[in-house]
Amino acid sequence: MSERPCTALVLSGGGARGAYEVGVLRYVRERLDVQAHFDVITGTSVGAINGAYIAATCDRPKAQARALQRVWSQLTIDRVYDFGWAQFRSLPRVLFGRSLPKTPHGGSVGGLVDSSGLQRLVREQIPWRRLTENLAAGRLRAFSVTATEVATGISTVYIQSGRRRLEPWSETANETIVRTGITAAHTLASAAIPVLFPAVKIGDQFFVDGALRQNTPLRPALRLGARRMLVIGLRHNESPAERRARQRVEAETLYPNAFFLLGKLLNSLMLDKVEADLERIQQTNRLLRAGAAEFGSDFSERVSRAVGRDSAWHEVETLVIQPSEDLGRIAWEVVRDTKLRGYNSVAANIIRRSVEADERAEGGESDLASYLLFEAEFINRIIELGYADAAHHHEQLSRLFR
């Protein structure tokens, strides 16, 4: 019997938008007529947190998506963003810098908000010991998260593997590979949005959000041997008509306000070259198929040897699921309808202001709110959207795992 192709789950970054990934995974676990097994899991930012949970619970796949949804249900604006007198006093140091205090491995420094509530949730709700046990037992081949080193701006890909020896992985000028046991500290570093969340110390360096350089970690999945990939994106893929309508609205704005600009900045930070990477994968697939048809089935092995590769090129099947609706618009509607009643914190007021500032837009949308809105109504709506979008890809999902 031939070996089952290595299948990877690739999870993107996007703050509160990460709830969308939970909806897609719920459908995969609950509605497919085939068992969906992931050999490799890669994640960045909030995708690193979701990925760590999926990797640590892969020994009980039927229950893991519902359990992850319960973890998300514990998140609130005040739990994720705590801004009080202590943060106000440290504001000059965060904005203008000072000598850093001595910080141990896993410790954090800076940040406009106190994220200790989120840190406790990640440390306590993810069964980290079982992550290592699942890798050792062969239930998972490898897990990786990506963070950005503050001092150099270089992406650092942390990899924890199981029993199988990984192929050599050449580093690039903008990428460092570290094989290590992944802990809560690595995952929190990957999700540390610069300035907003404190940087996390790993070893003797500080790290922040991996989405700055690599929001959708396709490359780690490929280098870890993936031949099939389920990629969950967190950006709505606009149609040409939607793009033209948005551009008209933005052109009519007299001057973009700071909240509007901050939302667009976050969008820019979260936008990587995933479309270009996917196109390269498709081009390689076409080349391999054409080469095999023209020169024989051993075409890939012969070409790979000729260029000095340790392993042969192979075709990679990819399925990308992205929001069918604009998550910024959903966030705008939720804040408009609920007024975030019951929240009186600084963070909640910033979210309200960001939505009020975008009210001129016909139909409404707030990119900034969609990243920050850890609120039950918004989380539940985009979980259900992820579930519905996965249902529209039912046949493709079944083929991917069959």
Side-chain angles (χ1 to χ4, degrees):
M1 181 182 294
S2 61
E3 185 180 4
R4 177 174 49 81
C6 177
T7 304
L9 172 65
V10 180
L11 299 172
S12 307
R17 296 182 180 208
Y20 179 85
E21 296 171 341
V22 180
V24 175
L25 291 169
R26 248 191 59 205
Y27 187 89
V28 168
R29 290 307 188 205
E30 296 174 4
R31 304 298 295 177
L32 294 187
D33 54 359
V34 294
Q35 182 181 6
H37 179 83
F38 299 111
D39 302 284
V40 170
I41 299 175
T42 67
T44 297
S45 193
V46 72
I49 296 175
N50 285 338
Y53 192 91
I54 296 299
T57 58
C58 66
D59 55 321
R60 47 191 184 99
K62 290 294 184 182
Q64 64 180 180
R66 285 280 181 178
L68 180 57
Q69 183 170 341
R70 285 195 294 272
V71 173
W72 271 85
S73 70
Q74 300 177 46
L75 296 173
T76 65
I77 294 172
D78 292 343
R79 188 168 190 177
V80 176
Y81 317 107
D82 184 8
F83 188 94
W85 177 242
Q87 286 69 48
F88 181 79
R89 283 189 305 172
S90 65
L91 192 58
R93 184 178 66 190
V94 173
L95 295 178
F96 305 111
R98 281 168 129 186
S99 58
L100 290 175
K102 189 172 183 179
T103 308
H105 171 82
S108 56
V109 169
L112 290 175
V113 299
D114 177 5
S115 61
S116 57
L118 177 63
Q119 292 180 24
R120 281 195 300 274
L121 194 71
V122 170
R123 295 181 192 280
E124 296 171 5
Q125 294 297 320
I126 297 176
W128 294 101
R129 180 177 297 178
R130 280 171 51 199
L131 168 60
T132 300
E133 291 172 353
N134 286 332
L135 286 162
R139 301 185 187 99
L140 185 68
R141 183 181 299 184
F143 172 57
S144 84
V145 302
T146 302
T148 304
E149 186 178 339
V150 173
T152 62
I154 292 175
S155 287
T156 300
V157 181
Y158 292 102
I159 300 171
Q160 184 173 356
S161 59
R163 297 177 299 187
R164 185 182 299 232
R165 186 181 68 84
L166 297 179
E167 295 180 9
W169 186 339
S170 57
E171 297 181 348
T172 67
N174 297 316
E175 182 183 66
T176 299
I177 312 303
V178 178
R179 291 173 171 81
T180 186
I182 295 176
T183 66
H186 300 92
T187 307
L188 288 166
S190 179
I193 300 174
V195 182
L196 184 64
F197 288 157
V200 179
K201 191 172 186 181
I202 307 295
D204 58 357
Q205 294 294 327
F206 285 94
F207 292 85
V208 292
D209 204 318
L212 295 178
R213 298 298 296 268
Q214 188 184 84
N215 189 46
T216 306
L218 292 176
R219 176 176 159 83
L222 292 170
R223 297 305 297 267
L224 289 169
R227 299 201 177 193
R228 297 173 175 173
M229 293 194 296
L230 172 59
V231 183
I232 306 179
L234 299 180
R235 282 175 59 99
H236 172 53
N237 193 13
E238 290 180 313
S239 67
E242 288 176 316
R243 187 178 303 110
R244 286 192 296 270
R246 176 179 55 79
Q247 289 170 341
R248 281 197 301 271
V249 169
E250 292 176 2
E252 292 168 0
T253 304
L254 292 177
Y255 181 76
N257 60 76
F259 294 112
F260 177 89
L261 291 174
L262 185 54
K264 296 304 178 186
L265 174 62
L266 279 173
N267 261 347
S268 297
L269 290 176
M270 300 297 176
L271 178 63
D272 55 15
K273 300 176 181 177
V274 61
E275 288 83 6
D277 289 342
L278 289 169
E279 177 58 27
R280 276 194 293 271
I281 290 172
Q282 296 308 317
Q283 288 177 348
T284 302
N285 289 345
R286 289 192 291 268
L287 175 64
L288 293 175
R289 285 194 294 268
E294 186 70 23
F295 303 108
S297 60
D298 63 343
F299 169 77
S300 174
E301 289 79 5
R302 288 159 52 198
V303 171
S304 299
R305 284 196 302 270
V307 298
R309 281 178 60 91
D310 294 322
S311 59
W313 273 298
H314 51 75
E315 291 191 45
V316 178
E317 182 180 358
T318 59
L319 172 58
V320 182
I321 299 181
Q322 294 175 284
S324 59
E325 299 179 30
D326 187 343
L327 301 187
R329 179 169 183 172
I330 295 176
W332 186 89
E333 292 173 352
V334 168
V335 177
R336 179 199 61 187
D337 295 342
T338 67
K339 307 298 183 185
L340 298 184
R341 297 180 185 91
Y343 289 104
N344 296 309
S345 62
V346 172
N349 286 330
I350 289 175
I351 295 172
R352 289 191 195 97
R353 293 289 183 88
S354 71
V355 167
E356 291 169 1
D358 290 325
E359 282 185 348
R360 287 192 59 182
E362 184 179 353
E365 63 91 16
S366 178
D367 290 325
L368 179 60
S370 70
Y371 288 102
L372 304 181
L373 194 55
F374 288 90
E375 192 276 334
E377 177 69 18
F378 178 66
I379 287 173
N380 290 334
R381 279 189 62 174
I382 64 174
I383 285 176
E384 293 309 314
L385 177 65
Y387 191 92
D389 287 346
H392 288 131
H393 291 81
H394 181 91
E395 291 303 321
Q396 297 99 309
L397 284 165
S398 295
R399 285 198 300 270
L400 187 74
F401 294 109
R402 186 168 291 129

